[in-house]
Amino acid sequence: MKRSTTADGRVAEDLGEHGTVHEARGVGQEAGVLSAEGLVKRFGGLVAVDGVGLTVPRRAVVGVIGPNGAGKTTLLNLLSGALQADSGTILLDGSDITSANAARRAGAGLRRTFQNIRLFPGMTVIENVVVGMHVQTRGWLTGGILGGRRVWAAEAAALQTAYDVLEEMGLADQAGALAGSLSYGRQRRLEIARALASAPRVLLLDEPAAGLNSAEKRQAADMIAGLPERYDLSVVLVEHDMDLVSRTCSSVSVIDYGRPLSDGPPAQVLRDQRVIDAYLGTAVTTV
Amino acid sequence: MNLDIAAARRGPAHPSQAFLPTKRSSWGPVGVLGIICLALIVVSPSDYMFRIATQVMVYSALAMGLNVVVGLAGLLDLGFIAFFGVGAYGYALLASDLHGIHISFWLMLPVGMLLAALLGILVGLPALRTHGDYLAIVTLGFGEIVSVLLVNLDRPVNITNGPQGVLGIDLPSVAGFQIGADDVFFGGFGLTTTMQFFMLTALYCLGVMFACLRLRNARVGRAWRAMRESEAAANACGISVVRAKLSAFVFGAAVAGGAGVITAAWYGSVFPDSFLFSESIKVLAMVVLGGIGSVWGAIAGALVLVLMPELLREFDQYRLLIFGLVLVLAMRLRPQGLLGSRSPGASRRRLPAWLASRRKGVR
């Protein structure tokens, strides 16, 4: 397996971790930072997600793949709270967040990015990141008008953290520029920086490599693979790009027609005949 | 994480400090406007000029309040003047001979703001669950309800005195001195009653300006601007969109309520037809003409829209025609408004794009 040499041997390390994942699953889902059970979402007559579960271990990168329209993004929306599930439960760090809305979940440390980048284009790059730290900053109307030590201290601290994250993501040189003026690849990175600055427990990435060229994709793969260690978080990666998935993920869940099809380590899943039939086709031989 | 600004200043400066909107940044513009007001008092032009200046101050406060709702939070509120009416009528009813109640102006100023704010919550809670054009229609309906109530609440029990309005409203007083009762002279320098009210109104306007400038770059202002640009992304950042919208709405309402109390005291009378839909549109026009989202823009918009009809008086019956034409030209030539925000962090979106995004609703 040549893969194990990429990303500073991280993939091999993650694959090693995967063994404990299976054990943990046998014991129960408490071991996962984020775990979802039996999620169902109907749009009228269409069942977009039908009984999908997911366990995300601590500091793991878990991939979600599937053909177009399989319900990947819907699943991510259910996890992030952008959509409410019709049935099923979602636990974050052991507490039930099934009925919490998107803002609550974000506040609890469950952050996401969007498939079609959603920044605040008319705000500066650093402001975008500080907005991402909404939960870490203080004051509302009276606090905003009158200020006070507590408010300003939190502002200064947030600004510093934001700047440091921007520096790590290689965006600090444009901290004062409008987010909308950034190049496409940088906008993608900014969206991740915005989520990272709040020190999330789990980061949901919706096709973070979409629209990137191959060099940028490799860069993104290294960055994503390094996130769990650097920021002490887990990643759920919804992606089309098989190369990126196999470079970064310790385990992969495949869904098709909203149903769970297969899961396991990428190498095993990509060889699964059902997965090949569903959508990978001959791609496996080229991976 | 627990960083103190003073400590940060003492230590080696972190590069992030270049982006710290300092506490002082809101004092500067307030100081500039304050000095302009003071200069006006020192020069002391005619009473007519001061009446117009006072009007500019009232409308500036209103426009800055609406600017928070429309410009920062991106909520199209077409019934804004109703909150102004609630403040004005609140003071008129509780500080005149109509009901024989005479509550102090200084008590009624916060109470009027609170009343308007409460009404803002009442209307906002259901209304803010609608988006874009629908919100505009709901607020339009609310504005109409208030103006109809003001006219018709004279039967069966007389509350508002109907179309006759309320006359003989109390003057504010400070330590036994009634503001606006008599001209006062200090040696050769005189303060006419109009000038006294100008000072009161200017102080209120300065306070509102300070609040608006502070809020813009505070946590809540960032939340408003973020929400205007993308509700879904704001949500994903942990911002409760309903709470953010409601607080923008309530802040705007309170500003308008306070302006209402002051205006009622200044005029000494209120009439229901001062709070019609056209007034809401006038304030909205000030915000748009000045530059959506800009505090100085709101003031400039108020200045232009109050001054222009006065300057055009000599055109007599063509006055409104020219007024309308100038507005159309201004928006055609400068769609981002007279002082469309160019500072970092401000939206550079132009009016057509902004309107288009309104039309699309949630984004």
Side-chain angles (χ1 to χ4, degrees):
Chain A
M1 296 263 281
K2 265 203 164 151
R3 263 201 320 279
S4 56
T5 56
T6 61
D8 306 312
R10 181 160 311 288
V11 174
E13 203 179 294
D14 287 346
L15 285 172
E17 266 178 29
H18 186 75
T20 62
V21 173
H22 263 297
E23 272 171 36
R25 272 190 195 171
V27 177
Q29 21 173 276
E30 287 81 40
V33 174
L34 176 72
S35 61
E37 191 71 25
L39 291 179
V40 175
K41 183 66 190 177
R42 293 183 198 87
F43 295 114
L46 176 82
V47 189
V49 170
D50 189 3
V52 175
L54 192 73
T55 304
V56 185
R58 200 164 155 260
R59 290 194 178 185
V61 182
V62 172
V64 176
I65 60 171
N68 277 327
K72 300 185 297 292
T73 294
T74 306
L75 174 65
L76 197 124
N77 282 335
L78 292 178
L79 291 176
S80 74
L83 292 173
Q84 286 288 328
D86 292 324
S87 67
T89 52
I90 304 168
L91 300 179
L92 180 67
D93 265 335
S95 53
D96 193 335
I97 56 162
T98 314
S99 55
N101 61 27
R104 280 260 168 71
R105 290 185 200 189
L110 180 58
R111 290 299 177 111
R112 71 168 296 176
T113 64
F114 295 87
Q115 187 178 337
N116 44 344
I117 306 170
R118 290 194 185 179
L119 293 170
F120 310 118
M123 298 171 80
T124 62
V125 167
I126 197 160
E127 267 186 317
N128 266 266
V129 182
V130 176
V131 170
M133 299 180 73
H134 186 76
V135 186
Q136 277 86 359
T137 42
R138 291 284 155 264
W140 199 242
L141 285 177
T142 45
I145 298 170
L146 303 175
R149 285 178 66 88
R150 227 168 49 89
V151 174
W152 288 320
E155 287 286 304
L159 211 61
Q160 238 185 61
T161 311
Y163 189 87
D164 291 343
V165 172
L166 285 177
E167 207 153 43
E168 286 196 31
M169 300 293 277
L171 295 167
D173 56 322
Q174 281 187 295
L178 290 186
S181 70
L182 260 55
S183 71
Y184 185 83
R186 283 185 151 228
Q187 291 197 13
R188 282 244 174 252
R189 258 185 290 156
L190 175 57
E191 210 190 11
I192 294 173
R194 186 176 67 187
L196 284 178
S198 67
R201 309 285 296 131
V202 178
L203 181 59
L204 310 172
L205 299 175
D206 197 354
E207 300 201 18
L212 301 184
N213 64 37
S214 53
E216 287 173 325
K217 262 182 195 169
R218 270 195 302 280
Q219 221 182 5
D222 287 351
M223 188 260 287
I224 292 166
L227 288 180
E229 200 74 356
R230 173 65 191 85
Y231 293 95
D232 185 25
L233 49 73
S234 309
V235 176
V236 176
L237 178 68
V238 169
E239 197 34 89
H240 263 309
D241 191 277
M242 285 307 132
D243 189 44
L244 184 74
V245 168
S246 51
R247 271 165 187 270
T248 54
C249 296
S250 55
S251 75
V252 176
S253 294
V254 187
I255 54 176
D256 191 22
Y257 294 110
R259 291 211 177 85
L261 190 67
S262 168
D263 65 328
Q268 177 194 319
V269 166
L270 298 188
R271 251 180 264 120
D272 189 326
Q273 193 56 45
R274 290 171 302 171
V275 177
I276 297 168
D277 291 345
Y279 119 98
L280 290 173
T282 56
V284 162
T285 57
T286 64
V287 168
Chain B
M1 279 299 271
N2 202 359
L3 188 112
D4 187 297
I5 287 196
R9 289 248 168 79
R10 263 180 265 119
H14 190 272
S16 70
Q17 291 205 6
F19 305 98
L20 191 71
T22 58
K23 290 175 256 181
R24 269 174 259 111
S25 66
S26 29
W27 288 109
V30 172
V32 171
L33 186 64
I35 288 168
I36 293 174
C37 292
L38 268 180
L40 202 63
I41 291 170
V42 172
V43 174
S44 74
S46 66
D47 244 26
Y48 166 71
M49 288 294 279
F50 268 112
R51 259 197 303 282
I52 292 171
T54 313
Q55 263 191 3
V56 171
M57 288 296 143
V58 170
Y59 276 110
S60 292
L62 283 173
M64 283 189 280
L66 184 62
N67 181 48
V68 165
V69 184
V70 180
L72 296 190
L75 306 166
L76 191 51
D77 183 353
L78 295 182
F80 188 68
I81 211 71
F83 299 116
F84 181 63
V86 166
Y89 261 87
Y91 185 62
L93 300 183
L94 296 175
S96 69
D97 289 327
L98 180 64
H99 297 302
I101 311 169
H102 296 278
I103 291 179
S104 149
F105 170 84
W106 301 107
L107 178 65
M108 263 320 281
L109 186 59
V111 170
M113 293 173 81
L114 201 70
L115 271 178
L118 284 178
L119 197 68
I121 294 176
L122 210 70
V123 182
L125 273 178
L128 294 174
R129 287 172 200 281
T130 60
H131 293 290
D133 296 351
Y134 305 101
L135 175 67
I137 300 295
V138 171
T139 54
L140 173 75
F142 159 71
E144 289 303 293
I145 288 171
V146 169
S147 70
V148 167
L149 279 181
L150 293 181
V151 178
N152 290 299
L153 276 184
D154 55 343
R155 292 156 285 127
V157 191
N158 188 3
I159 299 174
T160 64
N161 211 24
Q164 282 88 43
V166 185
L167 304 168
I169 299 169
D170 297 350
L171 293 167
S173 58
V174 187
F177 169 73
Q178 282 201 316
I179 297 174
D182 299 295
D183 299 349
V184 276
F185 292 95
F186 308 99
F189 189 71
L191 278 182
T192 64
T193 56
T194 326
M195 280 164 85
Q196 294 161 28
F197 266 111
F198 169 74
M199 285 162 75
L200 177 69
T201 323
L203 277 180
Y204 182 72
C205 186
L206 288 170
V208 171
M209 186 186 191
F210 180 76
C212 289
L213 287 168
R214 271 281 173 89
L215 286 177
R216 185 175 200 294
N217 289 315
R219 177 176 182 241
V220 64
R222 281 195 306 262
W224 286 334
R225 287 180 289 142
M227 176 179 81
R228 179 194 61 192
E229 307 230 336
S230 168
E231 274 191 30
N235 246 321
C237 287
I239 295 166
S240 163
V241 168
V242 172
R243 182 168 176 240
K245 282 184 179 177
L246 198 61
S247 40
F249 210 67
V250 165
F251 176 79
V255 167
V261 171
I262 293 175
T263 309
W266 175 32
Y267 286 157
S269 57
V270 289
F271 302 97
D273 56 7
S274 310
F275 311 104
L276 297 178
F277 175 61
S278 56
E279 282 295 298
S280 285
I281 293 302
K282 189 168 168 186
V283 179
L284 183 65
M286 290 169 181
V287 173
V288 175
L289 180 74
I292 292 169
S294 156
V295 170
W296 277 116
I299 295 171
L303 185 71
V304 171
L305 287 201
V306 170
L307 274 185
M308 206 158 46
E310 300 297 331
L311 296 177
L312 292 174
R313 268 190 199 284
E314 58 187 294
F315 292 97
D316 203 29
Q317 56 201 349
Y318 299 107
R319 187 165 74 126
L320 286 177
L321 183 72
I322 297 171
F323 180 63
L325 206 64
V326 170
L327 277 188
V328 170
L329 279 177
M331 292 328 295
R332 179 68 191 82
L333 297 174
R334 228 184 133 70
Q336 75 272 42
L338 299 174
L339 301 176
S341 233
R342 280 271 176 261
S343 60
S347 173
R348 286 194 185 181
R349 279 204 264 173
R350 296 187 155 210
L351 184 71
W354 184 79
L355 286 174
S357 75
R358 299 277 84 224
R359 243 173 256 128
K360 272 183 270 166
V362 225
R363 261 299 122 118

